[in-house]
Amino acid sequence: MGESEREHERKQTNHPAVTEAVSAQQRESLLARIEREVLIADGAMATQLYQMGTPVGICYEALCLERPNAVTAVHKSYLEAGASLLETNTFGANAHGLARYGLEGKVVEINRAAVRLARQVAGEQAYVAGTVGSVRGVRPAGPVRAELEAIYREQIEALLTEAPDALLFETFYDLDELEIALDVARSLTVLPSIAQLSLIDLGVTRDGVALSDAFARLYDHGASIVGLNCRFGPSDMLRVLEKANLRATDRISVFPNAGLLSVTDGAYHYASEPEYFGEIAQSFHAMGVRIIGGCCGTTPDHIRAMANAVAGRAPAPVKAGGNAAREGTDARRPRVAERSVLHSDDASAGELVHEKARHTHTVIVELDPPKDLSPNVFLEGARALHAAGADAVTLADNSLAVTRMSNMALGAMMKQMGVEPLLHMSCRDRNLIGQQSHLMGLHALGIRQVLAITGDPSRFGDFPGATSVFDVSSFDLIRMIKQLNDGRSFTGRALDECARFTVGAAFNPHVRHLDKAIRRLERKVEAGADFIMTQPIYDPEFFDVLADLTSHVNVPIFVGIMPLLSARNAEFLHNEVPGITLTDDVRKRMAEAGTGAHARSVGVEIARELVDAAMKRFRGIYLITPMMRYEMTVGLVEHVARTARNMDQAGSTPA
């Protein structure tokens, strides 16, 4: 670009603070620049591309290759509005994010192109920050550390190839993930790193760390500048900083959203006007913020308003101290949950199944909630099983994706009857909002024992058009329930007390590669599972195999046993139900038994034999009631009690 062209481009901007700093910028690093003046960064890339007609749902990062002129047009609009820091269009340009579009092989190409495009526009007038977004994103869990390190290394190395002025890490909900990304960056470069968290609750990260503590840890991991972006508009972001226990040496950046998102006639738009951003930018400046930009919904007009208000001003001293007593979860210690007001005789007064199974035989019995409106037969069955000696009655959560009565309602009724419920919780039917709300309701009802499961896909149930949610996996759900036990909500917010949930996990041993299934079981225990419940087993010899393979697992395992109803029932389970396998001997015996009362008696006889074999190696027995025939499992519960007494007298109880 010739001198006359450069001079012409400078004249296109209305911000002397940008043009007057050109020659100085050639000598200054970004860190030196923010020591003497507030720096204005750009706003939302996706918002501008959307307004230019780019549809929602495509890979915006791929436009660096497919429509580079559109990307440079957005960069130019922000430069002309007064931005002195341009972010590359690479927020989701990592292997994990690009894989959704089949573009994981283009990580290097997209990131290098993005830096070149931003540099082409920035010239000598602005800095270029290589943008790195969170891999986990809004999901509370995702790839483990080794995977994250590899993903970030590939993207950061690609960005560094084109020599940006800084790296900008944005929209990280979990402090631990941002620390991993910074560690990778620090191993590769000495360029400044801007590390920005996104908060779901005011003042605390999703993994429960107060903001000032989080900032301190980010510096320890190599951040040059720390800050906030996304989720909140400028007012809430300002309020967070005012409450935080900031230090005088902190270098802070803020990139707020343009208020709250709304949708009208299918069009997305945000509430905050540019004039408002200009006014509140002055408040950010007074707080000591060094870099001010915009996130979702912000436009060149928002950036122009902030540039007119504060660009080029000397930075104000950081308002250190804040109000640590109001900052986040670390400021108050949740108390341990008291017994439910509704249920003074709740499970906290007795021994839970996973505790009891550590020293004596313990029985869980499954009873399916009804498909109709009356709970009477179910409650009769629950009462009979309790009277027979069942330690807990477990209720599925719309098993096989078939609609049934709420197990939460039935569990509350059982508590009133003095029967201990153990509720299944599926990841299929409730999003994260619903999951936490459901658990809070269980806590209020005094229901403490739950089984976290993935759930069968909706398309296989009685509403095949229903949507499966699956916001999280069963591993994630286990961890998040345990987070409630620590006194933190799913978002990281401090709760007024700690929950007291005991969490079970499911295990399917009927797989081709049992070693992989065992590893999956181990991961569930690592996630926090207190006990394990298996799919029904029909091979008495397999109990020895399973006991040997799981001898190192330090939580009780409840082995599943389900009596068969008929020959047809046996063949259906063996051939059509995932996770259930019958032996040839069992199928032959049921085939000979046919149907009716005789077949049911044979099914119970087989189940007793399985119970006897299981009790030699396991203390936990999980009986599954077929088709509400609870009289069959009542007899088996009584058989477990008799067998346990005989084993105790003979001294043959499992160690």
Side-chain angles (χ1 to χ4, degrees), residues 367-370 377-379 381-382 404 625-631:
L367 196 62
D368 271 341
V377 174
F378 173 88
L379 295 175
R404 294 178 179 272
T625 304
M627 306 290 288
M628 284 302 294
R629 298 276 188 173
Y630 60 82
E631 68 280 359

Side-chain angles (χ1 to χ4, degrees), residues 279-302:
E279 293 168 4
I280 208 161
Q282 299 182 61
S283 299
F284 283 129
H285 171 259
M287 279 292 302
V289 174
R290 305 294 182 91
I291 301 177
I292 306 175
C295 203
C296 300
T298 55
T299 67
D301 289 338
H302 292 86

Side-chain angles (χ1 to χ4, degrees), residues 440-505:
M440 293 168 76
L442 295 180
H443 174 267
L445 292 169
I447 297 172
R448 290 179 53 192
Q449 302 187 104
V450 296
L451 176 74
I453 59 172
T454 301
D456 305 294
S458 296
R459 65 181 181 275
F460 298 136
D462 55 353
F463 285 98
T467 302
S468 296
V469 180
F470 296 127
D471 273 2
V472 293
S473 68
S474 58
F475 299 93
D476 304 328
L477 185 57
I478 292 167
R479 281 189 286 264
M480 294 166 76
I481 296 172
K482 285 308 186 83
Q483 187 167 308
L484 295 180
N485 287 357
D486 291 335
R488 292 186 290 120
S489 75
F490 289 1
T491 66
R493 178 178 62 85
L495 301 170
D496 58 359
E497 60 184 50
C498 297
R500 301 178 67 186
F501 289 112
T502 293
V503 189

Side-chain angles (χ1 to χ4, degrees), residues 200-511:
I200 299 176
D201 272 310
L202 296 178
V204 61
T205 66
R206 183 167 62 187
D207 42 357
V209 182
L211 184 63
S212 56
D213 294 334
F215 281 173
R217 284 171 54 175
L218 292 176
Y219 286 125
D220 290 341
H221 285 265
S224 312
I225 301 156
V226 297
L228 301 169
N229 81 289
C230 207
R231 285 288 305 172
F232 294 150
S235 178
D236 279 340
M237 210 165 272
L238 181 64
R239 185 150 57 105
V240 168
L241 293 176
E242 288 172 341
K243 292 179 179 179
N245 188 23
L246 301 178
R247 301 176 297 186
T249 55
D250 284 341
R251 292 187 289 253
I252 307 296
S253 65
V254 292
F255 289 57
N257 284 354
L260 298 176
L261 174 67
S262 62
V263 182
T264 304
D265 297 328
Y268 296 87
H269 55 89
Y270 287 78
S272 296
E273 295 295 331
E275 294 75 14
Y276 173 65
F277 262 63
E279 293 168 4
I280 208 161
Q282 299 182 61
S283 299
F284 283 129
H285 171 259
M287 279 292 302
V289 174
R290 305 294 182 91
I291 301 177
I292 306 175
C295 203
C296 300
T298 55
T299 67
D301 289 338
H302 292 86
I303 300 305
R304 182 175 291 106
M306 294 194 294
N308 283 332
V310 300
R313 286 192 190 181
V318 174
K319 288 190 176 180
N323 190 344
R326 298 162 57 197
E327 180 182 5
T329 57
D330 292 356
R332 56 178 175 150
R333 180 181 297 277
R335 67 182 186 276
V336 175
E338 301 170 354
R339 294 185 190 178
S340 167
V341 173
L342 296 177
H343 303 285
S344 59
D345 61 339
D346 69 10
S348 60
E351 199 170 25
L352 301 175
V353 291
H354 77 290
E355 297 169 340
K356 185 175 180 181
R358 290 189 179 278
H359 60 83
T360 191
H361 284 101
T362 306
V363 184
I364 298 171
V365 185
E366 181 170 323
L367 196 62
D368 271 341
K371 298 178 184 178
D372 295 303
L373 296 179
S374 173
N376 292 342
V377 174
F378 173 88
L379 295 175
E380 289 171 7
R383 186 181 290 110
L385 290 165
H386 175 70
D391 295 286
V393 174
T394 184
L395 297 75
D397 188 11
N398 298 321
S399 60
L400 299 177
V402 173
T403 308
R404 294 178 179 272
M405 188 176 289
S406 160
N407 63 6
M408 181 181 189
L410 292 170
M413 294 178 186
M414 290 167 58
K415 292 286 289 185
Q416 292 175 334
M417 293 163 40
V419 180
E420 183 57 32
L422 193 162
L423 269 57
H424 298 200
M425 281 194 65
S426 165
C427 298
R428 177 195 59 234
D429 297 333
R430 289 175 289 269
N431 63 13
L432 284 173
I433 299 169
Q435 294 286 26
Q436 179 170 321
S437 174
H438 187 67
L439 285 160
M440 293 168 76
L442 295 180
H443 174 267
L445 292 169
I447 297 172
R448 290 179 53 192
Q449 302 187 104
V450 296
L451 176 74
I453 59 172
T454 301
D456 305 294
S458 296
R459 65 181 181 275
F460 298 136
D462 55 353
F463 285 98
T467 302
S468 296
V469 180
F470 296 127
D471 273 2
V472 293
S473 68
S474 58
F475 299 93
D476 304 328
L477 185 57
I478 292 167
R479 281 189 286 264
M480 294 166 76
I481 296 172
K482 285 308 186 83
Q483 187 167 308
L484 295 180
N485 287 357
D486 291 335
R488 292 186 290 120
S489 75
F490 289 1
T491 66
R493 178 178 62 85
L495 301 170
D496 58 359
E497 60 184 50
C498 297
R500 301 178 67 186
F501 289 112
T502 293
V503 189
F507 172 59
N508 177 18
H510 305 300
V511 292

